[in-house]
């Protein structure tokens, strides 16, 4: 089963991707995480991507398409995968079609911009394992420390108000057109439940099950 999670930055794609990954035993693939990892390791890929990411811009299509092509041929993807943060442009979606990747279902997590803004501006992430927290909605047990691995909690460079607004604009201009792209193929399900991550997860899993 090959799935795509579509949604604005901060819509909860990462959290829902993990839930799908657990329940359906398919890997969650986040191009954002792969890029951040490359930056952390000082790889050439990371050097290329960093300036775009820090400004909230999209990394060029050729780069992310290559990353994805390399990732989905790995062994763990043979029974399917869930893509978190890819495709983000029409050319990226067309690239999937071109390489013959059949997509079964696209789940859009629809969250209003003002909710996104407050979620992302208060987000803190573990610099070691990436687990997300929030200064008011999801506090760690010990301030500044990850519950999972005791790593340090930091603010992502692109989680400041101006950059969040730029990312939202990029989403509406370049990524939102993918809704029609997949609706026209009868593959789109919309999850509008965002009041809590738990409710959003139930709705997301229900949408995935609808396809089996
Ligand atoms: P978010 O969904 O919160 O923006 P991600 O981790 O998915 O976070 O992405 C962070 C950044 O990584 C994006 O702003 C962009 O610069 C880059 N990126 C990730 N995936 C893609 C993609 N498919 N195409 C282009 N850029 C990407
Ligand atoms: Zn951690």
């Amino acid at each position: 089963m090959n799935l795509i999670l579509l949604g604005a930055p901060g819509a909860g794609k990462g959290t829902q991707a993990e839930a799908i990954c657990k329940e359906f035993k398919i890997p969650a693939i986040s191009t954002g995480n792969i890029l951040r990892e490359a930056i952390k390791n000082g790889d050439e890929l990371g050097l290329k991507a960093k300036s775009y990411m820090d400004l909230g811009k999209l990394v060029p299509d050729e780069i992310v398409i290559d990353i994805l092509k390399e990732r989905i041929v790995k062994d763990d993807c043979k029974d399917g995968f869930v893509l978190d943060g890819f495709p983000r442009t029409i050319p990226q979606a067309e690239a999937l079609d071109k390489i013959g990747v059949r997509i079964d279902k696209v789940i859009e997590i629809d969250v209003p911009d003002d909710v996104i803004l407050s979620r992302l501006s208060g987000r803190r992430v573990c610099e070691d394992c990436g687990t997300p927290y929030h200064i008011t909605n999801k506090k760690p047990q010990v301030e500044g420390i990850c519950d999972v691995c005791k790593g340090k909690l930091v603010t992502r460079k692109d989680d400041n108000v101006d950059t969040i607004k730029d990312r939202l604009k990029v989403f509406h201009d370049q990524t939102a057109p993918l809704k029609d792209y997949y609706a026209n193929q009868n593959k789109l399900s919309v999850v509008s439940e965002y009041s809590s991550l738990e409710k959003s997860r139930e709705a997301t899993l229900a949408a995935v099950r609808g396809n089996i």
Side-chain angles (χ1 to χ4, degrees):
M1 186 170 51
N2 299 336
L3 305 170
I4 291 173
L5 283 178
L6 199 62
K13 298 186 298 291
T15 309
Q16 307 312 341
E18 288 308 320
I20 293 173
C21 165
K22 265 197 202 131
E23 171 131 354
F24 298 95
K25 312 276 182 273
I26 51 176
I29 300 174
S30 156
T31 39
N33 285 348
I34 294 172
L35 291 166
R36 274 187 294 275
E37 194 63 27
I39 292 176
K40 211 161 116 184
N41 296 337
D43 298 348
E44 197 191 328
L45 166 67
L47 290 177
K48 278 193 209 154
K50 188 173 184 325
S51 54
Y52 298 98
M53 293 175 73
D54 284 352
L55 292 174
K57 291 187 182 155
L58 294 184
V59 173
D61 286 335
E62 317 80 78
I63 297 181
V64 281
I65 289 168
D66 279 349
I67 293 177
L68 195 90
K69 278 187 190 163
E70 268 179 38
R71 179 63 187 86
I72 60 175
V73 293
K74 292 201 174 150
D75 235 23
D76 61 340
C77 292
K78 62 183 190 318
D79 295 328
F81 47 76
V82 50
L83 301 183
D84 156 17
F86 187 100
R88 257 172 147 103
T89 64
I90 298 277
Q92 290 179 22
E94 288 170 347
L96 283 178
D97 293 340
K98 216 180 287 168
I99 56 179
V101 175
R102 191 180 44 86
I103 297 299
D104 298 297
K105 189 154 219 153
V106 178
I107 295 162
E108 183 207 343
I109 307 176
D110 187 19
V111 181
D113 284 8
D114 56 331
V115 176
I116 297 285
L117 202 63
S118 88
R119 278 192 194 171
L120 291 188
S121 52
R123 177 162 74 173
R124 300 291 180 268
V125 295
C126 171
E127 69 177 355
D128 292 331
C129 75
T131 300
Y133 297 83
H134 189 278
I135 49 170
T136 50
N137 306 339
K138 188 180 175 237
K139 293 183 183 176
Q141 280 158 15
V142 180
E143 198 183 322
I145 305 288
C146 176
D147 294 348
V148 181
C149 78
K150 306 270 178 272
K152 187 175 154 208
L153 303 188
V154 296
T155 304
R156 251 169 63 172
K157 254 211 168 104
D158 55 355
D159 279 348
N160 64 77
V161 174
D162 286 340
T163 311
I164 296 166
K165 285 185 179 158
D166 291 340
R167 285 157 69 200
L168 278 168
K169 182 166 176 3
V170 167
F171 171 75
H172 291 296
D173 291 347
Q174 300 195 55
T175 308
L178 290 172
K179 297 178 202 174
D180 280 346
Y181 184 89
Y182 288 114
N184 290 336
Q185 299 179 15
N186 282 325
K187 290 178 180 163
L188 186 73
S189 297
V190 181
V191 169
S192 304
E193 183 59 76
Y194 59 84
S195 55
S196 73
L197 284 173
E198 290 68 34
K199 283 190 181 158
S200 181
R201 180 179 60 224
E202 282 319 306
T204 304
L205 292 175
V208 178
R209 286 188 203 106
N211 190 44
I212 299 171

